[in-house]
């Protein structure tokens, strides 16, 4: 058998401003992102119209694609973990041991992966599906009633469950495998070498890494957009000032331009400082702080929330989710000219397809970050840590926190205070219902701090990962101007797109950017299958690949 490819030379600049960077990737990605920023800020109406047209086309034409590729990622990850031949393979050399403790490993993975979105959607999503979901559209259940709680959690768990986390895992697993077992650079293109070989050193590889950088910028911008609005809501709740919002003539309240600027300045300023300190210091410390504050907040809801209702919802919801997974994982609704069919298709585009695009757009960032912190772990351990445990944590949060909100509305205690609040404000509204006066104020401060640390962790991790991709997988220290550039660029992308068309504009851009990278991810999965199969044949013959011995972990 031919030995596997263990060297992938990527040309990087050896002097000047871009020393250590692959200029083709770094410069092109900066030009694309810079053009998007200028377009959104200089021509907001034109940008919103074009993005809207492309977004509608993709959601209508590629709905099958997004559903089926997500199912493929899930089945592949589970299969590789369950098969003994692949599950016990170590992501590294035989003597490699994990760099981080299990607690720090999981904290960094969770904080970078979805901590911000969880704070926003743990309350908002169950509440939305409690009012409307496919069952209410088809007339099987009635919205905002006790009979609709189970259906609300089927879809909440579907969008945040093991299939969703598989998008992160497939990228992280492929990169860790080829970097730590083959000795290839820790960058996206390395995962495609079994299919394209040394061609990944040239323009084809540059294109793959550019797609990854652009998808990362748009995916992280979506998360920062949601998080910054909730951060502004929290600041308003703790009395920072009414200038954070503007009120339209019809009474509609929206985040002011100054509120957006201040929130992004705080978030990106702190994240840039953290990124300059590296993974082992700022990001690790912030991630551990995130986990401690998250557990504190969760314990608060266990102690003072609707605990029995939440626990019942958790166990019943997990059962319903697992039972419905085979159908929901492959279900695609298309417009058929009927009121019900068109409504189902519109609902799926707005929720499931949007979520699968969001997870895919976030995958190059989180996947590479997972690979970066997972050296020395087995394939089975990686899949368990990157899929099962985070998904279960999301289930617990959604059941306890979201379940408390639903129970307060069902019992009449909330009297619509939670349901009528905006998405970004529902968590704070619920705290106001549960607590009174100073206690509600103090806990709101805790949530604001937790939200800020989650946002900073997400943003600084993204900046480091973008620079790692642009530097051909070099994880070493990066020039400060490049870190500052990407921190500023993320802030401007979020601010520019919000001003062009609100969070909807970020969502449109993210769905568009996720499409080409979804194809890259499918190819990564196929390449991983090929590599593991051929390496298993080499193991039987006692062959080695360069310095990395192809043996299973003990």
């Amino acid at each position: 058998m031919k030995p596997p490819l263990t060297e992938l030379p990527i040309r990087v600049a050896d002097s000047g401003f871009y020393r250590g960077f692959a200029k083709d990737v770094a410069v092109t990605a900066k030009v694309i992102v810079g053009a998007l920023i200028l377009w959104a800020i200089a021509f907001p109406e034109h940008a919103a119209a074009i993005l809207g047209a492309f977004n509608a086309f993709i959601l209508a034409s590629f709905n099958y694609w997004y559903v089926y590729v997500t199912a493929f990622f899930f089945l592949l990850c589970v299969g590789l973990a369950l098969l003994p031949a692949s599950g016990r393979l170590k992501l590294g050399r035989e003597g490699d041991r994990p760099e981080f403790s299990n607690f720090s490993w999981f904290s960094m993975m969770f904080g970078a992966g979805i901590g911000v979105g969880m704070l926003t959607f743990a309350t908002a999503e169950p509440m939305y599906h409690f009012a409307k979901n496919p069952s209410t559209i088809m007339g099987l259940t009635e919205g905002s009633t006790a009979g609709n709680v189970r259906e609300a959690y089927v879809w909440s768990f579907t969008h945040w469950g093991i299939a969703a986390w598989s998008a992160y895992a497939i990228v992280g697993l492929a990169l860790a495998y080829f970097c730590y077992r083959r000795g290839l650079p820790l960058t996206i293109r390395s995962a495609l070498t079994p299919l394209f070989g040394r061609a990944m050193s040239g323009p084809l590889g540059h294109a793959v890494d550019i797609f990854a950088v652009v998808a990362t910028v748009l995916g992280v911008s979506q998360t920062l957009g949601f998080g910054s609005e909730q951060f502004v809501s929290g600041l308003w709740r703790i009395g920072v000032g009414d200038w954070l919002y503007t009120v339209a003539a019809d009474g509609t309240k929206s985040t002011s331009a100054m509120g957006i600027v201040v929130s992004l300045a705080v978030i990106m300023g702190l994240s840039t400082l953290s990124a300059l300190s590296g993974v082992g210091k700022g990001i690790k410390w912030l991630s551990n702080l995130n986990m401690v504050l998250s557990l504190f907040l969760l314990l608060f809801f266990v102690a003072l929330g609707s605990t029995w209702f939440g626990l019942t919802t958790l166990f019943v919801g997990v059962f319903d989710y697992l039972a419905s997974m085979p159908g929901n994982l492959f279900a695609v609704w298309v417009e058929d000219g009927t009121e019900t069919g068109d409504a189902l298709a519109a609902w799926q585009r707005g929720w499931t397809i949007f979520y699968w695009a969001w997870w895919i757009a976030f995958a190059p960032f989180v996947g590479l970050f997972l690979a970066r912190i997972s050296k020395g772990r087995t394939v089975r351990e990686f899949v368990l840590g990157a899929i099962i445990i985070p998904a279960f944590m999301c289930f617990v949060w959604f059941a306890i926190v979201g379940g408390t909100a639903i129970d307060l509305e069902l019992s009449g205690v909330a009297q619509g205070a939670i349901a009528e609040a905006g998405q970004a404000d529902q968590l704070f509204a619920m705290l106001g219902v549960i607590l009174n006066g100073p206690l509600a104020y103090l806990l709101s401060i805790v949530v604001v701090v937790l939200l800020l640390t989650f946002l900073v962790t997400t943003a600084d991790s993204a900046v480091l990962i973008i620079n790692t991709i642009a530097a051909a997988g070099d994880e070493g220290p990066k020039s400060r101007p490049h870190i500052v550039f990407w921190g500023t660029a993320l802030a401007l992308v979020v601010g520019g797109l919000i001003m062009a068309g609100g969070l909807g504009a970020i969502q449109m851009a993210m769905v568009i950017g996720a499409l080409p990278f979804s194809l890259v991810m499918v190819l990564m999965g196929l390449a991983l299958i090929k590599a593991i199969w051929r390496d298993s044949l080499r193991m039987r013959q006692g062959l080695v690949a360069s310095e990395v011995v192809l043996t299973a972990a003990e």
Side-chain angles (χ1 to χ4, degrees), residues 195-454:
L195 301 180
F196 301 104
R198 294 188 181 278
M200 299 312 296
S201 293
L204 182 60
H206 299 333
V208 168
D209 284 348
I210 291 168
F211 286 150
V213 170
V214 174
T216 297
V217 169
L218 295 176
V220 172
S221 295
Q222 180 73 58
T223 300
L224 294 179
F226 282 128
S228 62
E229 287 219 332
Q230 191 173 25
F231 182 62
V232 168
S233 178
L235 292 178
W236 181 79
R237 285 276 179 174
I238 62 178
V240 170
D242 292 335
W243 54 269
L244 294 166
Y245 286 101
T246 58
V247 180
D250 60 356
T252 304
K253 187 174 71 171
S254 60
T255 306
S256 67
M258 183 58 67
I260 295 171
V261 170
V262 169
S263 64
L264 291 176
V266 172
I267 294 164
M268 298 314 302
L270 292 175
S271 67
T272 301
L273 292 175
S274 178
L276 290 170
S277 67
V279 176
K281 295 181 180 179
I283 295 177
K284 178 182 176 180
W285 296 339
L286 279 174
S287 298
N288 290 340
L289 176 61
N290 290 342
M291 187 56 63
V292 171
L293 290 177
S294 297
L295 291 175
F296 170 79
L297 186 60
L298 185 62
L299 289 175
F300 162 79
F301 280 104
V302 169
L304 297 180
S306 303
T307 307
W308 179 250
F309 184 91
L311 291 175
T312 303
T313 299
L314 174 63
F315 290 108
V316 175
V318 170
F319 174 81
D320 289 343
Y321 162 65
L322 294 175
S324 67
M325 181 181 288
N328 289 345
L329 195 59
F330 295 96
V332 180
W333 287 303
V334 296
E335 295 182 353
D336 57 5
T338 66
E339 182 179 354
T340 300
D342 292 352
L344 286 172
W347 182 91
Q348 188 176 44
R349 288 196 300 268
W351 283 97
T352 306
I353 305 301
F354 158 70
Y355 264 119
W356 295 162
W358 190 10
W359 289 88
I360 288 170
F362 224 57
F365 151 51
V366 180
L368 199 150
F369 187 75
L370 291 182
R372 165 63 183 82
I373 63 176
S374 300
K375 182 179 181 180
R377 299 185 183 272
T378 65
V379 170
R380 184 173 295 116
E381 184 180 8
F382 180 92
V383 171
L384 178 66
I387 295 180
I388 306 299
I389 296 177
F392 184 74
M393 282 295 295
C394 287
F395 296 165
V396 172
W397 266 86
F398 275 61
I400 300 297
V401 180
T404 297
I406 291 175
D407 187 51
L408 290 172
E409 289 291 353
L410 278 175
S411 63
V413 174
Q415 297 182 345
I418 303 171
E420 295 171 6
Q423 175 179 282
D425 196 42
Q426 286 185 327
L427 177 59
F428 296 104
M430 179 168 54
L431 293 176
V433 172
I434 297 175
L435 301 172
N436 292 315
L439 287 178
Y441 181 81
L442 290 175
L443 202 62
S444 293
I445 293 177
V446 172
V447 174
V448 169
V449 172
L450 176 59
L451 183 63
L452 179 61
T453 57
F454 266 137

Side-chain angles (χ1 to χ4, degrees), residues 32-310:
I32 293 174
V33 173
L36 176 62
I37 293 170
L38 292 176
W39 183 41
I41 294 176
F43 308 99
E45 295 181 359
H46 182 261
I50 297 298
L51 288 173
F54 270 108
N55 182 72
F57 170 76
I58 290 174
L59 290 178
S61 304
F62 290 89
N63 50 349
Y64 283 97
W65 170 260
Y66 276 119
V67 169
Y68 291 155
V69 296
T70 301
F72 169 69
F73 301 148
F74 164 69
L75 295 174
L76 179 56
C77 287
V78 172
L80 291 176
L82 293 179
L83 290 175
S86 57
R88 62 173 178 262
L89 290 174
K90 177 175 284 189
L91 302 175
R93 297 173 180 148
E94 191 171 1
D96 286 340
R97 294 291 180 264
E99 179 183 357
F100 301 99
S101 67
N102 288 336
F103 182 82
S104 292
W105 180 57
F106 179 69
S107 298
M108 287 190 285
M109 176 176 55
F110 196 72
I114 212 63
V116 176
M118 185 189 64
L119 276 181
T120 301
F121 288 101
T123 308
E125 183 155 356
M127 286 294 298
Y128 181 92
H129 297 320
F130 174 58
K132 182 180 180 180
N133 59 62
S135 290
T136 63
I137 294 173
M138 292 185 285
L140 303 177
T141 58
E142 183 180 352
S144 301
T145 64
N148 199 38
V149 174
R150 294 178 68 170
E151 287 298 320
Y153 275 92
V154 164
W155 291 105
S156 296
F157 287 179
T158 294
H159 296 152
W160 294 79
I162 53 181
W165 282 86
S166 297
Y168 294 168
I170 198 65
V171 175
L173 187 58
L175 292 176
Y177 191 91
F178 292 110
C179 177
Y180 302 130
R181 288 185 69 85
R182 295 278 178 87
L184 297 178
L186 186 60
T187 187
I188 304 298
R189 71 176 79 188
S190 295
L192 301 185
T193 51
L195 301 180
F196 301 104
R198 294 188 181 278
M200 299 312 296
S201 293
L204 182 60
H206 299 333
V208 168
D209 284 348
I210 291 168
F211 286 150
V213 170
V214 174
T216 297
V217 169
L218 295 176
V220 172
S221 295
Q222 180 73 58
T223 300
L224 294 179
F226 282 128
S228 62
E229 287 219 332
Q230 191 173 25
F231 182 62
V232 168
S233 178
L235 292 178
W236 181 79
R237 285 276 179 174
I238 62 178
V240 170
D242 292 335
W243 54 269
L244 294 166
Y245 286 101
T246 58
V247 180
D250 60 356
T252 304
K253 187 174 71 171
S254 60
T255 306
S256 67
M258 183 58 67
I260 295 171
V261 170
V262 169
S263 64
L264 291 176
V266 172
I267 294 164
M268 298 314 302
L270 292 175
S271 67
T272 301
L273 292 175
S274 178
L276 290 170
S277 67
V279 176
K281 295 181 180 179
I283 295 177
K284 178 182 176 180
W285 296 339
L286 279 174
S287 298
N288 290 340
L289 176 61
N290 290 342
M291 187 56 63
V292 171
L293 290 177
S294 297
L295 291 175
F296 170 79
L297 186 60
L298 185 62
L299 289 175
F300 162 79
F301 280 104
V302 169
L304 297 180
S306 303
T307 307
W308 179 250
F309 184 91

